[in-house]
Amino acid sequence: MEIDNLKDFSLKYTLESGQSFRWSRIDDAYYGVVEGRILKLQQENPSTLIIESSCNEDDEILTEFLLHYLDLNRDLASILSAVNVDAYIAKAIEHFWGMRVLNQELWETIASFILSQNNNISRIRNLIHTLAEKFGERVEFKGYMDYTFPSAKSLADVGVDEIFSCGTGYRAEYLWHAASKISNGELQLDKLKNLPYIDAKNELMNLVGVGEKVADCICLFSLGHLEALPIDVWIKRIFEQIYLGKKASVTEIRQFASNYFGSYIGYAQQYLFHFAQSNPNWADPEYLALKDIKNKK
DNA sequence: TTCCAGGAGAGAG
DNA sequence: CTCTCTCATGGA
């Protein structure tokens, strides 16, 4: 099946921007395990998305699911125009136009970003794959084989040692703790989805191993809270070097950022993050100078 | 060999 | 509140 008449969408930038660790590109198609099945996505024209699923599901329901997952129900142009306040971020927006902030499954996002701490993206991908291979279910579609993300209950049941043996390091305890609290009902994910940003974030930070940054990642990449600002080493560097010109605390960065970019800071963050990550010259003087050129709103 | 990665917790000051 | 140290692991 396919979805037509897409506007302001880049499948590539959306799936390759470090929000999800479960997509692989083969030629011009993306294969990923999403909520129990393999999806194969291809963008054409570029306003058409061609979709295949490893399980038989109703086209209409799958369409609704993907519109939400890929955040296609939002008016991206107006969001980006709201955060396009200077020539520096304008460069990032221009370069990665169409990149969307995903709405991923909550438990998988919690687990993935617990594993992300003090870790790099390729190793996070490998860890998740190893966990899925050992504790998930095998799925296959058109020669592409992968494993579903293990449920909270299955990880709670196998225990810390088995999780540790996947190479998770000291994060094994954190992951097991979260899996336990979720599978025994101490933390109810459905309730979490209905809370406002601050409340959801605080609730998540009650989990051992979930600090402010990971909580913000979950709020942004799963719960749709676009005002969340995950401050990792990259975002810290970007704000210190580009916008503040000095070392700054997380509190300081947060205050400046929300004041400067407004309530869609989560989207601004994603473009700045991906721009810096993929451009070794992101802090060169020629780029640095762009931040002083303001864009009229 | 040392440094670093989409950090967090514990402890000290 | 802010610093500092430690926590596994693998790739550069």
Side-chain angles (χ1 to χ4, degrees):
Chain A
M1 60 166 283
E2 56 184 58
I3 300 177
D4 298 307
N5 302 319
L6 294 173
K7 279 198 312 188
D8 308 320
F9 176 59
S10 164
L11 183 65
K12 174 184 171 65
Y13 297 146
T14 301
L15 298 184
E16 293 186 12
S17 56
Q19 322 171 48
S20 175
F21 307 102
R22 296 287 275 161
W23 289 94
S24 302
R25 183 168 58 81
I26 297 175
D27 298 325
D28 63 337
Y30 288 85
Y31 293 80
V33 186
V34 185
E35 301 191 28
R37 82 292 222 189
I38 291 175
L39 294 177
K40 178 186 178 188
L41 304 180
Q42 277 174 284
Q43 183 166 23
E44 281 195 354
N45 293 325
S47 66
T48 300
L49 188 63
I50 301 171
I51 303 151
E52 295 176 77
S53 168
S54 66
C55 75
N56 286 322
E57 47 191 321
D58 183 75
D59 282 0
E60 201 169 324
I61 294 173
L62 181 55
T63 299
E64 285 308 306
F65 174 80
L66 277 169
L67 289 177
H68 178 249
Y69 178 82
L70 297 169
D71 210 34
L72 290 165
N73 294 320
R74 289 195 214 262
D75 180 357
L76 184 71
S78 75
I79 290 175
L80 293 184
S81 119
V83 298
N84 192 355
V85 293
D86 63 54
Y88 188 87
I89 193 168
K91 201 88 179 172
I93 290 172
E94 178 191 9
H95 201 287
F96 294 109
W97 185 263
M99 178 168 58
R100 304 246 173 186
V101 171
L102 295 169
N103 297 109
Q104 305 179 76
E105 199 278 325
L106 184 50
W107 155 242
E108 179 171 338
T109 307
I110 292 172
S112 298
F113 282 94
I114 284 175
L115 295 174
S116 79
Q117 66 168 265
N118 202 22
N119 217 338
N120 60 63
I121 291 180
S122 68
R123 216 170 81 80
I124 298 164
R125 290 177 63 94
N126 291 335
L127 282 181
I128 292 172
H129 184 264
T130 304
L131 281 166
E133 190 173 13
K134 284 190 82 164
F135 309 119
E137 288 171 21
R138 181 189 165 112
V139 278
E140 193 167 357
F141 184 61
K142 295 196 168 178
Y144 184 84
M145 196 261 292
D146 208 329
Y147 299 84
T148 62
F149 193 82
S151 67
K153 182 177 181 348
S154 64
L155 287 190
D157 287 347
V158 299
V160 178
D161 292 344
E162 283 292 305
I163 297 174
F164 185 89
S165 75
C166 294
T168 54
Y170 65 91
R171 309 166 194 85
E173 288 182 38
Y174 300 158
L175 184 54
W176 179 80
H177 177 262
S180 302
K181 284 193 84 167
I182 288 165
S183 66
N184 72 15
E186 259 186 83
L187 177 61
Q188 300 185 18
L189 298 188
D190 286 336
K191 280 189 182 172
L192 207 55
K193 293 175 186 173
N194 296 320
L195 295 179
Y197 164 55
I198 295 299
D199 296 335
K201 179 171 170 179
N202 286 330
E203 198 66 37
L204 287 164
M205 286 174 67
N206 286 331
L207 294 170
V208 184
V210 176
E212 190 168 22
K213 189 269 175 184
V214 167
D216 271 325
C217 281
I218 299 163
C219 284
L220 183 59
F221 300 138
S222 177
L223 295 172
H225 297 304
L226 300 188
E227 66 269 48
L229 174 64
I231 303 179
D232 70 325
V233 290
W234 285 91
I235 292 298
K236 194 169 190 318
R237 278 199 287 254
I238 292 166
F239 277 95
E240 287 179 343
Q241 294 187 38
I242 304 295
Y243 288 109
L244 297 170
K246 61 184 175 70
K247 291 203 60 156
S249 69
V250 167
T251 315
E252 209 171 342
I253 292 172
R254 190 174 297 285
Q255 189 161 20
F256 169 84
S258 68
N259 183 47
Y260 186 75
F261 287 111
S263 54
Y264 293 128
I265 179 64
Y267 256 95
Q269 169 275 152
Q270 194 59 20
Y271 279 79
L272 291 172
F273 173 85
H274 199 42
F275 180 72
Q277 260 224 337
S278 58
N279 179 3
N281 308 316
W282 66 271
D284 283 359
E286 53 177 301
Y287 284 116
L288 194 54
L290 295 177
K291 73 158 194 316
D292 295 321
I293 306 170
K294 304 303 177 192
N295 294 337
K296 281 200 298 185
K297 287 202 171 181

